[in-house]
Amino acid sequence: MNDLLKILFLSFMTMTVNSIFAHSIEICHGWQFKQARGENWYPATVPGTVHTDLLANGIIEDPFVGLNERGVQWVDKEDWVYQTTFNVDEKILKKTNIQIEFEGLDTYADVYLNDSLIIKADNMFRRWNADVRSLLRLENNLLRVYFHSPVKVDMPKWEAIPYHYEAMNDQSQNGGLMDRKISVFARKAGYHYGWDWGPRLVTSGIWRKVYLQAWDGVRITDVHTQQLKVNKYVAQIRQTIEVISDSDYVAAVRTIDTDTNKKYINKKVSLRKGLNRIQLDFSIKNPKLWWSNGLGDPHLYGFKTEVRTDVTSDYKIQKIGVRSLRLLTANDSIGQEFCFELNGIRVFAKGANYIPNDNFLPRVTDDVYQKVINDAVNVNMNMLRVWGGGVYEDDRFYDLCDANGILVWQDFMFACSLYPASGDFLENVRQEAIDNVKRLRNHSCIALWCGNNECQDGWYNWGWKRNYESQNPKYAEKIWKEFEDLFYKTLPDVVEQYSPETCYWPSSPFGGYGHGSNETNGDYHYWSVWHAKKPITEYNNTRFRFCSEYGMQSFPEFESVKLFAGKSSDWDIYSEVMMSHQRGGSHANHLIETYLLNEYHRPKNFESLLYVGQLMQGDAMKTAIESHRREKGYCWGTLFWQINDCWPVASWSTRDYYGRWKAAHYMSRNAFNDVLISPIEKPDGQLHVYIVNDRLKALNGKVSIMILDMNGNEVNRIEKNVCVSANASQDVLNFPVDGTLMALDRKDVVIEASFTCDKVYKNVYYLCPPKDVNFFKPSISSQIVKVGDGYDVVLKTDKVARGVFLSLDGIDNDFTDNYFDLLPFREKVVHIRTPFKEDEIAKQLKITSLADVNKN
C-alpha cells in the first residue's frame, strides 16, 4: 500500500470526515405564483400546492369546510406559474458539477432557469434533475415552473380512443367533466380525482423540496445495502455504492458503525471518470436483529459509507435494521398460504391500510407523521399497507416505521382502474418504479411490493373483462396485454433488478393468475359485510389466508363534525353539507342506518347517532380481528380498511382527519394485543374460549369465565389452567352456553373472560346483539384527580354500562381509553391530557353509555 493510501486509511480510523467539496441549498424562499392567463402575482409556499396558496391568499375558501369543495373545481382547469429568484456565491459557481433537483413536481410541469427550458416533467411520483452549471449566474437567477392543467393535458387522450379505461372512483362529474374519467392518463395520485372517502381536489404544485446541488470530485449518488444472509449468529451484508467521479482517482472506501465507530470494511478502489459501482462485502457477528412491534426491539445500525481520495470525499449515512424477511406462499392441501416470516419466525400481521394524510400533501407535518405511527404502535399494530391510490410516502414515514417496528406492505400507485400501459406511458412508469424502489429499498420496514389495488379483481370478478369483450374483443385483448405488460412484466422486473431481496405480489387481492381472488389462496379483500349487507356476525363464519381489506363505515364524533359542519341546520346525516362529506352517497348512509338498526336501537338525535355509529364500527372491527386471529396458523394477517382520512368525512377510518381516535381504534388495541382471550359462541351451542399467543414462548396461565347479571352479580364461574403454545391460537376451553346461565335469559347476562399469566388479559362478550341485551340506564360516578401531564378520571357504575364514552368540548383532548364497557364492582381509570383546568373538566365532562342514547 502506498503512503497516500496509508494516510487515508489512518484518517478513516481516527476521525469522521464531512465532505467539504459539496454544497446543498434548498430553494424555498421568495416564491410567488399566478394564474398563467392572469397578471397578478401572489406569495407562494414551496413545497406547496396551488390550492393551499390560493387559500393562504384569501382567494378561495377552505375546501374542507361545508360545501366549499364545489367552489374550487375551476382550479384544475387553469395553468399556473411559479417563480423565484436566488443568488449564489462564487464558491458554488466554481464547482465542477451543479444540478437542480426537484423531489416532486405535480404533475405536468416545464421548468426554466434564466429562460432556458431544463426539465419537462410528467410524473408526480418521480424526482427530476438537470445540470445547470452553464446557466447559473451570481445574482438574480430566475427559476420558473409552468404547470399545465392536468385536465387540459389529458382530456384529448380520453377523446382520442374509441373505448374508455375503467376508473370507477374518478369523480369526473363533480369536476364538471361528465363521464370523462381522465385520471388514468396522469401519473398522479388517483385519490386527487376523488374516491369513496375523499374529495375531488386535483392539485398542481412543487409538492416536495427543491435543491441546488454543487460538488467537486466525487459524489455518492446511491448506496444499496443488501442483506444476503441474516440469522442470530451472522449478518452477511453487501453494499453496492454508486459514485460519480469527475476524473480518475485512487480512492479509499469504507463503512463504519456510527454508534460505536467500529470499522466494518476498508477497501482501495480505482475510480474512473463517470459512474462507478463499488461492491463492499462484510459481516456482523451476533447481530442485534430488527423485530416488528411486539416481537422485540427494532434495532437500527448506523452505517456510514465513505469514499475519499487525496483531493475529495463524500459520505452517506443510513439507518439499517438487520433482519431476514420473506413472504411464504407455498401451496398446501387447502390452497396457497400467505405469511410473512421475520428472522425465521412466522409473523401474524396486525394492522391497517394507510392512505395519504391530506389531500394537500405538503402540509403533512412531522407531528402528523409521528402521530399516525404512534397511533399504530399504541394499538399493537405491526403492519401498515400503503395503498395504491395515493403516493409513495415521504421518507419520514418509512423512517418512523423503521424506528417503531412497523412492517410496510407497499403498493405501486395503481388502484381500482385500468391503465394505458404502453409506449411512453409504460416507460414513464418503469422510471417511476426504479426511482421509488431505489429510494425505499434500504428501509427495514419494506416487506412487500404489490403491483396494484384490486385491478385484477376488477377484471375477473367485477365484470370489466366481460364488458370489454361485449364491446369489442380487440379492446379486451389490447387492454389485458397492457395489464400484463405493466403488472406481470415491467414492475416485477424492476423489483427483481433493483431490490431482489424483496418479494413482488402482482395485485391485492391476488389468488393466482388467470382468475380473481378467493378465500383459500393468497390475500383477500372481504366486503360482504358492508357492501353485501351481511350481518357483522358473518365475520365469525369466514376463513382467509390473509385478509388485507375489510371495514365498516362511521362518521367522525360530534366535536369533529362541528369543525366542518358548524351550523345546527347541518346536523343531519342527510343534510347537504353532511352528504358532501359522505362520498359513498346516500347508499352508504343507508348502509350505516341498516347495520345500526339491525344491531342497536334507534338513537334519539344526531349526536347520539354519531356515537352509536362509532360503537357499531368498533364492534365490527373487534369481531373481525378476533375472528382472523382465532384462525392463526391458517390465517396469517388482518389489515382493516383504514387507519386515517385525508379530509373530514364519513369513512371506514378508525381515526378521523383531525387524528381523534374513533371507537374502533380504541377497541382494536385489545383485539391486537400480543395475548388475546377471545370467547365465541359457535353453532354447536358451545362457548369456545380461544387464547391467541403472539409471543415466541409458551404461556402457562389460568382462564376464568365469569357470567354476570346486569347488576354485576356473579351467576357462574368456570376456570381452567392451560398451557398455550408459542406463536399459536388454541381453543382452550368450551362448554354449553345454556347450561351455565343458571336459568337466566341470555339477554340478561354479560361474560367477562380473563386469562392470567404474567398479567391479566380481559375481554367482554355478550350472547345477543346490543339491541337485544337488557341494558339498564347506569349511574356512573366520576372522580377527577390531577396527575402528571393531565388528570385521572376514576369511574364506577352500578349497572353494566356498554360503550362508555367520555367527551369534552373541542378536539384538543386526549383520552387513554374510551368507548369501553364498564362493569359494576370494577374501577376504571382514564387519563386525560387536556388544556382545560380541573373545574372546567368537572363542568364539561360528558359521560355517555349506550343505554343513554336510545330513542324512547
Side-chain angles (χ1 to χ4, degrees):
M1 184 180 295
N2 62 37
D3 291 340
L4 169 62
L5 265 297
K6 288 180 181 179
I7 294 171
L8 289 175
F9 279 112
L10 182 61
S11 68
F12 273 1
M13 296 171 63
T14 58
M15 62 183 294
T16 298
V17 181
N18 292 327
S19 175
I20 61 173
F21 307 98
H23 291 269
S24 180
I25 302 170
E26 184 179 357
I27 304 174
C28 56
H29 299 295
W31 284 94
Q32 55 183 344
F33 81 112
K34 76 180 185 74
Q35 201 169 343
R37 60 192 179 100
E39 299 296 330
N40 296 326
W41 289 92
Y42 300 93
T45 299
V46 172
T49 71
V50 171
H51 288 79
T52 48
D53 285 330
L54 291 169
L55 179 62
N57 284 279
I59 299 170
I60 63 171
E61 295 183 279
D62 188 345
F64 286 12
V65 174
L67 302 173
N68 292 340
E69 176 207 357
R70 298 177 183 177
V72 299
Q73 294 305 311
W74 61 274
V75 175
D76 61 38
K77 282 90 177 167
E78 296 291 329
D79 294 355
W80 300 91
V81 183
Y82 279 70
Q83 70 177 34
T84 189
T85 58
F86 62 93
N87 302 330
V88 296
D89 59 33
E90 291 186 358
K91 289 182 180 179
I92 289 179
L93 281 183
K94 290 179 180 178
K95 295 296 180 185
T96 307
N97 308 279
I98 309 175
Q99 280 191 350
I100 194 164
E101 298 182 0
F102 287 84
E103 293 187 342
L105 289 165
D106 180 13
T107 291
Y108 298 112
D110 300 335
V111 182
Y112 299 84
L113 180 61
N114 295 328
D115 295 325
S116 292
L117 178 65
I118 57 173
I119 293 170
K120 284 188 71 71
D122 59 358
N123 190 322
M124 177 183 181
F125 306 125
R126 289 175 61 182
R127 292 173 289 189
W128 302 90
N129 60 70
D131 185 347
V132 296
R133 188 176 186 277
S134 64
L135 300 174
L136 210 60
R137 55 196 183 215
L138 276 172
E139 296 181 342
N140 296 319
N141 290 282
L142 176 63
L143 181 60
R144 180 163 55 94
V145 185
Y146 188 104
F147 288 99
H148 298 272
S149 158
V151 172
K152 291 195 294 187
V153 170
D154 289 329
M155 188 69 76
K157 302 173 188 175
W158 187 92
E159 294 171 340
I161 53 178
Y163 54 86
H164 302 302
Y165 290 92
E166 287 283 353
M168 58 185 296
N169 285 290
D170 185 325
Q171 298 171 9
S172 56
Q173 290 188 334
N174 288 346
L177 305 183
M178 303 304 289
D179 64 341
R180 297 173 177 84
K181 298 181 183 296
I182 62 173
S183 56
V184 296
F185 295 102
R187 290 312 298 147
K188 175 173 172 57
Y191 82 109
H192 284 169
Y193 295 83
W195 220 265
D196 55 4
W197 37 256
R200 185 186 186 278
L201 294 166
V202 184
T203 59
S204 292
I206 305 169
W207 75 287
R208 282 180 170 161
K209 293 180 179 181
V210 190
Y211 291 99
L212 192 69
Q213 306 279 12
W215 74 95
D216 286 325
V218 297
R219 185 186 185 199
I220 299 175
T221 57
D222 186 69
V223 179
H224 181 196
T225 301
Q226 291 178 269
Q227 303 185 35
L228 304 180
K229 178 183 178 182
V230 173
N231 55 46
K232 63 181 180 180
Y233 303 109
V234 66
Q236 294 178 357
I237 307 297
R238 171 170 294 167
Q239 290 187 320
T240 303
I241 308 163
E242 293 184 359
V243 180
I244 295 177
S245 180
D246 284 347
S247 60
D248 295 349
Y249 291 112
V250 174
V253 185
R254 76 165 183 176
T255 295
I256 65 169
D257 189 309
T258 59
D259 296 320
T260 65
N261 280 327
K262 179 180 179 180
K263 175 188 63 179
Y264 291 118
I265 187 170
N266 282 347
K267 187 176 182 179
K268 180 179 75 172
V269 300
S270 295
L271 299 177
R272 296 291 176 256
K273 183 177 181 179
L275 179 62
N276 299 262
R277 288 185 174 87
I278 304 164
Q279 183 174 302
L280 300 181
D281 290 324
F282 59 90
S283 61
I284 303 173
K285 293 182 179 180
N286 303 315
K288 295 180 181 178
L289 298 179
W290 184 91
W291 289 99
S292 58
N293 184 37
L295 287 182
D297 178 32
H299 179 79
L300 297 175
Y301 283 86
F303 289 158
K304 182 178 182 180
T305 303
E306 298 177 313
V307 176
R308 168 170 259 219
T309 75
D310 58 338
V311 295
T312 183
S313 70
D314 197 11
Y315 69 85
K316 280 193 179 296
I317 294 176
Q318 301 174 323
K319 289 289 188 178
I320 302 290
V322 173
R323 85 290 186 269
S324 68
L325 180 57
R326 62 187 186 131
L327 179 65
L328 307 178
T329 57
N331 293 322
D332 55 26
S333 61
I334 301 166
Q336 183 188 35
E337 71 172 336
F338 190 98
C339 176
F340 292 96
E341 183 190 78
L342 176 64
N343 301 325
I345 301 296
R346 287 172 174 258
V347 176
F348 191 98
K350 301 178 292 188
N353 289 261
Y354 168 97
I355 68 170
N357 288 296
D358 205 300
N359 264 80
F360 305 128
L361 290 160
R363 66 182 185 186
V364 181
T365 64
D366 290 350
D367 287 344
V368 171
Y369 279 120
Q370 185 73 64
K371 179 167 172 51
V372 71
I373 299 303
N374 283 348
D375 288 352
V377 170
N378 289 335
V379 296
N380 304 303
M381 292 183 181
N382 61 17
M383 177 173 279
L384 292 174
R385 174 178 173 237
V386 177
W387 166 79
V391 296
Y392 307 95
E393 263 297 347
D394 191 276
D395 290 337
R396 292 171 292 174
F397 171 84
Y398 301 100
D399 288 342
L400 287 166
C401 289
D402 286 342
N404 287 278
I406 299 295
L407 294 162
V408 172
W409 169 317
Q410 179 65 54
D411 282 4
F412 285 100
M413 292 302 114
F414 303 91
C416 301
S417 303
L418 294 170
Y419 299 86
S422 61
D424 291 343
F425 183 97
L426 188 60
E427 176 58 22
N428 196 356
V429 170
R430 191 178 76 86
Q431 294 299 329
E432 162 195 322
I434 292 170
D435 202 357
N436 286 284
V437 170
K438 288 183 70 174
R439 178 170 68 94
L440 301 180
R441 62 188 174 185
N442 291 329
H443 284 282
S444 312
C445 60
I446 297 293
L448 176 72
W449 279 99
C450 179
N452 65 71
N453 174 76
E454 298 185 340
C455 299
Q456 181 157 315
D457 255 23
W459 183 258
Y460 285 113
N461 288 356
W462 301 352
W464 294 356
K465 179 177 184 289
R466 183 174 60 253
N467 291 343
Y468 284 113
E469 288 175 339
S470 66
Q471 293 177 51
N472 187 325
K474 290 185 178 180
Y475 299 163
E477 182 180 343
K478 180 179 185 298
I479 291 169
W480 183 246
K481 182 181 185 305
E482 291 173 334
F483 184 100
E484 291 183 311
D485 287 346
L486 178 54
F487 299 118
Y488 294 171
K489 297 177 183 178
T490 299
L491 294 179
D493 286 352
V494 168
V495 174
E496 175 61 28
Q497 182 176 355
Y498 292 95
S499 187
E501 62 274 22
T502 310
C503 182
Y504 174 81
W505 193 244
S507 184
S508 182
F510 182 77
Y513 296 95
H515 55 80
S517 63
N518 57 67
E519 294 93 333
T520 59
N521 295 275
D523 74 308
Y524 193 73
H525 294 186
Y526 180 72
W527 287 104
S528 291
V529 177
W530 182 254
H531 287 304
K533 300 183 181 180
K534 288 194 175 182
I536 290 172
T537 53
E538 189 65 19
Y539 283 126
N540 294 318
N541 303 322
T542 57
R543 298 184 82 208
F544 313 106
R545 310 312 297 268
F546 191 108
C547 198
S548 46
E549 270 196 33
Y550 58 93
M552 174 67 64
Q553 261 205 17
S554 72
F555 298 97
E557 69 174 71
F558 189 48
E559 290 301 316
S560 292
V561 167
K562 288 190 290 187
L563 295 177
F564 66 88
K567 299 177 181 178
S568 59
S569 58
D570 297 330
W571 296 343
D572 182 296
I573 64 170
Y574 291 101
S575 72
E576 192 174 12
V577 168
M578 289 299 293
M579 287 303 299
S580 179
H581 292 256
Q582 166 55 284
R583 302 320 273 242
S586 58
H587 171 71
N589 274 0
H590 289 319
L591 281 176
I592 289 176
E593 287 187 308
T594 298
Y595 276 103
L596 193 149
L597 295 178
N598 284 343
E599 299 283 334
Y600 305 87
H601 295 291
R602 185 178 294 276
K604 62 185 179 182
N605 55 31
F606 175 73
E607 184 176 352
S608 297
L609 187 151
L610 301 182
Y611 156 76
V612 178
Q614 286 214 15
L615 206 58
M616 176 188 70
Q617 182 196 29
D619 284 344
M621 294 303 91
K622 177 181 184 294
T623 301
I625 293 167
E626 291 193 22
S627 172
H628 300 157
R629 293 193 66 194
R630 288 195 299 267
E631 294 290 340
K632 182 175 183 175
Y634 177 87
C635 175
W636 281 102
T638 178
L639 307 177
F640 61 69
W641 185 270
Q642 66 212 70
I643 192 175
N644 60 331
D645 278 326
C646 64
W647 79 315
V649 67
S651 81
W652 298 266
S653 70
T654 59
R655 299 162 60 259
D656 69 25
Y657 170 71
Y658 307 105
R660 291 175 70 85
W661 288 22
K662 296 183 181 180
H665 208 72
Y666 284 104
M667 292 188 188
S668 67
R669 178 166 51 197
N670 184 68
F672 281 144
N673 217 329
D674 64 340
V675 178
L676 169 71
I677 181 167
S678 178
I680 176 70
E681 184 181 13
K682 294 194 174 182
D684 61 4
Q686 302 267 327
L687 189 76
H688 293 252
V689 182
Y690 287 78
I691 304 294
V692 184
N693 178 18
D694 285 346
R695 299 185 189 179
L696 304 184
K697 293 183 179 179
L699 288 174
N700 292 294
K702 177 185 286 187
V703 172
S704 179
I705 305 297
M706 293 180 60
I707 300 172
L708 310 173
D709 65 18
M710 289 296 116
N711 294 312
N713 299 310
E714 184 176 319
V715 174
N716 207 340
R717 181 194 294 251
I718 298 172
E719 294 184 334
K720 183 181 180 181
N721 292 321
V722 300
C723 178
V724 185
S725 299
N727 205 16
S729 170
Q730 287 181 219
D731 183 353
V732 297
L733 174 65
N734 56 81
F735 55 86
V737 172
D738 291 337
T740 57
L741 300 185
M742 306 303 287
L744 286 179
D745 194 291
R746 58 179 49 224
K747 298 179 180 180
D748 295 318
V749 299
V750 58
I751 295 173
E752 184 183 42
S754 62
F755 176 60
T756 304
C757 48
D758 58 331
K759 58 186 285 189
V760 180
Y761 296 88
K762 291 188 176 184
N763 208 341
V764 175
Y765 184 76
Y766 300 90
L767 297 169
C768 303
K771 73 174 183 180
D772 294 332
V773 178
N774 289 326
F775 292 114
F776 301 105
K777 191 167 184 177
S779 176
I780 301 174
S781 65
S782 63
Q783 180 183 1
I784 301 169
V785 181
K786 174 64 177 172
V787 176
D789 62 350
Y791 302 87
D792 281 351
V793 179
V794 184
L795 301 164
K796 295 180 182 178
T797 181
D798 63 338
K799 302 268 191 303
V800 173
R802 175 78 172 95
V804 175
F805 170 51
L806 310 181
S807 61
L808 292 165
D809 286 347
I811 65 167
D812 298 324
N813 310 295
D814 180 69
F815 300 85
T816 56
D817 203 0
N818 226 333
Y819 300 96
F820 48 84
D821 290 3
L822 185 61
L823 304 182
F825 312 118
R826 313 286 196 275
E827 186 176 272
K828 175 75 174 182
V829 179
V830 177
H831 187 71
I832 305 176
R833 289 186 292 272
T834 177
F836 292 125
K837 302 298 183 183
E838 184 174 344
D839 58 339
E840 293 176 294
I841 296 174
K843 292 177 183 178
Q844 288 201 24
L845 183 64
K846 185 187 297 184
I847 304 174
T848 304
S849 74
L850 186 59
D852 300 323
V853 301
N854 296 335
K855 188 173 184 179
N856 295 328

